[in-house]
């Protein structure tokens, strides 16, 4: 509705994860580097955590787009799958056809695929989003997958991305063995106060905006206060603010619109 009013090519604060709009602040850069390093160097299990809305899913999508040619990656977005369903989804994403319906046969198909990829010096990465909601028994099965090796090399790199409480869940005694196999961790932090204005400006520029800053300093301060630096909440606030500004024929957005 407001794209024409502000001369935008597209909506700048859409909630759909889009790597083009990923603002790479230091915490994001560290998490992405950790993810790439863990997969490229066959480190086993990598855990990426962060509060809801800090950009974990977008980070995963960026990795899927930017992964090296020798990386074969599959992402599972549904955390409520059984282990058999998870294996079937993963194998299907990797392009394996004629899937079996029982656990033993699926595991053999999965291992065969991993060995084939290793023979071509490919890395295989299985990324699971919303890991805090994965069933306990499935997490235990994932530990067994992470143990698949050949000639001392890990055959599959697991990336578990979840909300902050996932770290606390891994501290439970029943997950001691899984936790011991986690070799790399990174935590996505909310944006700092000084990062909010560049974040907003980056998304506006990516969407085609080329004029002076739309948001006054006082508005930026209020956005930081209400959003606590969570990118998803910043997007919601800014989207509504642009709509109000358009409806009231305002050229810039002040604190009163944010309030």
């Amino acid at each position: 509705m407001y794209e024409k009013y502000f001369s935008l090519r597209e909506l700048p604060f859409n909630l759909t994860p889009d790597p083009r709009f990923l603002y790479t602040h230091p915490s994001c850069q560290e998490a992405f580097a950790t993810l790439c390093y863990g997969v490229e160097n066959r480190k086993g299990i990598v855990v990426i955590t962060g509060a809801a809305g800090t950009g974990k899913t977008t980070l995963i999508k960026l990795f899927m787009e930017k992964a090296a040619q020798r990386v074969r990656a599959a992402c599972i977005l549904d955390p409520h799958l059984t282990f058999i369903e998870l294996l079937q989804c993963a194998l299907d994403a990797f392009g394996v056809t004629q899937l079996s319906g029982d656990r033993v046969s699926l595991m053999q198909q999965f291992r065969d695929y991993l060995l084939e990829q290793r023979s071509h010096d490919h890395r295989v990465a299985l990324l699971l989003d919303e890991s805090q909601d994965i069933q306990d028994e499935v997490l235990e099965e994932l530990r067994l997958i992470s143990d698949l090796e050949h000639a001392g090399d890990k055959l599959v790199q697991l990336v578990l991305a979840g909300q902050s409480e996932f770290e606390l869940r891994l501290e439970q005694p029943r997950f001691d063995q899984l936790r011991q196999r986690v070799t790399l961790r990174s935590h996505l932090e909310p944006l700092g106060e000084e990062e909010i204005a560049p974040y907003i400006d980056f998304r506006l520029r990516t969407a085609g905006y080329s004029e002076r800053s739309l948001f006054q300093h006082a508005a930026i301060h209020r956005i930081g206060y209400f959003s606590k630096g969570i990118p998803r909440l910043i997007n919601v606030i800014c989207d509504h603010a642009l709509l109000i500004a358009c409806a009231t024929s305002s050229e810039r957005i002040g604190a009163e619109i944010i309030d």
Side-chain angles (χ1 to χ4, degrees):
M1 178 178 178
Y2 56 72
E3 299 103 300
K4 185 176 181 181
Y5 182 78
F6 289 113
S7 301
L8 298 165
R9 290 191 304 269
E10 57 188 309
L11 293 174
F13 299 105
N14 207 319
L15 295 184
T16 303
D18 186 340
R20 294 180 302 125
F21 285 89
L22 182 64
Y23 175 68
T24 53
H25 56 102
S27 177
C28 177
Q29 291 173 342
E30 178 189 340
F32 187 69
T34 299
L35 175 52
C36 293
Y37 175 78
V39 171
E40 183 66 23
N41 292 277
R42 302 183 189 273
K43 289 295 183 178
I45 300 180
V46 178
V47 170
I48 306 291
T49 55
T54 49
K56 298 180 296 298
T57 302
T58 309
L59 192 73
I60 288 174
K61 288 194 172 186
L62 178 65
F63 174 81
M64 297 288 287
E65 286 187 2
K66 301 293 186 182
Q69 286 189 342
R70 61 178 179 175
V71 173
R72 301 294 180 264
C75 179
I76 306 296
L77 298 174
D78 186 354
H80 303 293
L81 300 175
T82 65
F83 182 66
I84 287 178
E85 291 169 339
L86 189 151
L87 275 180
Q88 290 172 331
C89 286
L91 286 166
D92 180 67
F94 286 131
V96 178
T97 58
Q98 297 181 337
L99 300 178
S100 302
D102 64 280
R103 180 190 180 283
V104 174
S105 299
L106 282 169
M107 281 294 290
Q108 187 59 54
Q109 284 185 297
F110 191 54
R111 184 175 178 82
D112 290 344
Y113 172 78
L114 296 176
L115 288 172
E116 178 188 359
Q117 296 307 311
R118 185 186 181 280
S119 71
H120 297 294
D121 196 30
H122 292 160
R123 275 68 170 154
V124 178
L126 180 58
L127 301 93
L128 295 99
D129 203 3
E130 302 295 346
S131 294
Q132 75 280 350
D133 292 329
I134 295 176
Q135 301 170 35
D136 287 352
E137 55 271 23
V138 176
L139 280 176
E140 289 288 349
E141 296 274 19
L142 288 172
R143 173 181 64 81
L144 299 178
I145 279 186
S146 74
D147 287 338
L148 294 175
E149 297 181 355
H150 183 78
D153 286 336
K154 293 287 186 183
L155 291 177
V156 61
Q157 322 313 308
L158 290 180
V159 178
L160 304 178
Q163 295 179 23
S164 301
E165 59 265 28
F166 184 55
E167 285 280 8
L168 296 176
R169 189 176 171 202
L170 289 178
E171 294 300 319
Q172 297 177 19
R174 69 174 299 169
F175 296 125
D176 282 348
Q177 294 188 60
L178 176 64
R179 187 175 64 253
Q180 291 167 8
R181 287 161 172 77
V182 176
T183 56
L184 294 168
R185 300 169 185 256
S186 190
H187 185 76
L188 272 173
E189 299 287 350
L191 296 174
E193 186 175 350
E194 73 286 352
E195 295 172 322
I196 293 176
Y199 171 84
I200 292 172
D201 184 65
F202 170 78
R203 293 194 69 111
L204 283 168
R205 303 295 175 191
T206 302
Y209 186 73
S210 59
E211 304 298 324
R212 65 172 182 163
S213 178
L214 273 175
F215 291 80
Q216 297 176 358
H217 179 75
I220 298 292
H221 179 75
R222 298 302 285 163
I223 291 169
Y225 173 77
F226 287 120
S227 69
K228 309 302 181 187
I230 301 294
R232 183 184 296 158
L233 297 182
I234 295 174
N235 291 353
V236 171
I237 295 169
C238 289
D239 182 61
H240 283 69
L242 290 174
L243 182 61
I244 293 170
C246 175
T248 57
S249 300
S250 302
E251 293 186 358
R252 298 193 72 200
I253 295 169
E256 70 283 354
I257 289 182
I258 303 303
D259 287 339

